[in-house]
Amino acid sequence: MKLLAKIISYILNPIPIFTLLPYMLVYKASRNNIHALKWAFFSSAFLLMIGLFIFYEVRKGVFSDFDISKQSQRGRLFLVSAATVLLYLLAIVFLKGPMTLFLAVFGIMLGLLLFSLVNRNIKVSAHLGVFTAFSITIIWLYGFGYIFLLFLIPVLAWSRITLSRHTLRETIVGTILGGGIVSLIYIIAELVY
């Protein structure tokens, strides 16, 4: 069972999810596959920076593991992630990027802020927050044919609990935060568009 939990946790990790998101957002707005792929690859460069930072910190012994399981180590990750997202935002502004990516950056920054504040009291599950936000976004954009993604949320929670990375409470808080953030972004998008 632990092997299955690990596989689920790796596949539904925030980095692969964030790798898919720019393509899905830009494609829905533009209906242009090449345009969406261009922005997805561009966005992946910034995710790679965060991934390399995590790898470096684990190798150096600053982070205990690739999940950054210790609550006390997460502040450093949130700070570097926020700086990277800010660089990404500046690049999008400079390159006159798609509006959907601006909304995504706003959501990511809001998520980093809320997760870092909540992390002071509870080690909230970023896996669940990111996957919940992704799932709701995809359903809103592409329709109820993607409702199956919601059924993967408890599966991911099970994997995080089985691997002793989070408690049930931490997975629930992550799910609520992810759903709340994306709902707020959806309301803002409706007002903007």
Side-chain angles (χ1 to χ4, degrees):
M1 284 304 209
K2 286 222 183 219
L3 177 60
L4 178 61
K6 276 185 181 181
I7 292 168
I8 292 166
S9 192
Y10 285 134
I11 292 170
L12 302 180
N13 182 293
I15 290 189
I17 296 303
F18 276 131
T19 302
L20 291 172
L21 189 61
Y23 175 83
M24 303 294 282
L25 292 172
V26 175
Y27 181 76
K28 181 63 178 180
S30 70
R31 297 289 186 198
N32 182 323
N33 196 38
I34 301 299
H35 186 64
L37 282 170
K38 177 182 78 170
W39 283 102
F41 282 118
F42 178 77
S43 302
S44 294
F46 292 87
L47 286 170
L48 181 62
M49 286 192 276
I50 294 171
L52 290 172
F53 169 74
I54 293 169
F55 182 78
Y56 177 75
E57 295 294 287
V58 169
R59 294 268 327 236
K60 228 171 70 171
V62 174
F63 292 160
S64 56
D65 54 47
F66 291 105
D67 284 332
I68 303 96
S69 297
K70 293 187 178 173
Q71 187 175 358
S72 61
Q73 298 171 353
R74 290 179 162 212
R76 185 177 178 96
L77 175 62
F78 293 147
L79 184 63
V80 168
S81 296
T84 305
V85 172
L86 185 59
L87 285 174
Y88 179 59
L89 175 62
L90 293 173
I92 294 171
V93 169
F94 179 75
L95 297 171
K96 296 179 174 70
M99 179 58 133
T100 56
L101 292 182
F102 286 102
L103 289 169
V105 167
F106 176 70
I108 293 166
M109 291 300 279
L110 181 60
L112 284 169
L113 176 65
L114 290 175
F115 273 67
S116 66
L117 290 173
V118 173
N119 188 63
R120 294 176 182 186
N121 299 311
I122 181 174
K123 190 182 79 169
V124 65
S125 175
H127 277 71
L128 269 295
V130 169
F131 188 73
T132 300
F134 174 79
S135 300
I136 293 170
T137 299
I138 297 306
I139 292 165
W140 275 337
L141 292 176
Y142 290 93
F144 285 99
Y146 290 89
I147 197 89
F148 71 91
L149 291 171
L150 295 179
F151 296 105
L152 293 175
I153 293 170
V155 173
L156 180 57
W158 167 83
S159 78
R160 303 304 292 158
I161 293 165
T162 299
L163 295 172
S164 301
R165 298 297 191 205
H166 290 287
T167 64
L168 177 62
R169 181 173 168 233
E170 292 165 347
T171 63
I172 291 170
V173 172
T175 302
I176 291 169
L177 278 176
I181 291 165
V182 79
S183 297
L184 178 63
I185 298 304
Y186 180 76
I187 292 166
I188 291 168
E190 286 295 312
L191 294 173
V192 170
Y193 285 118

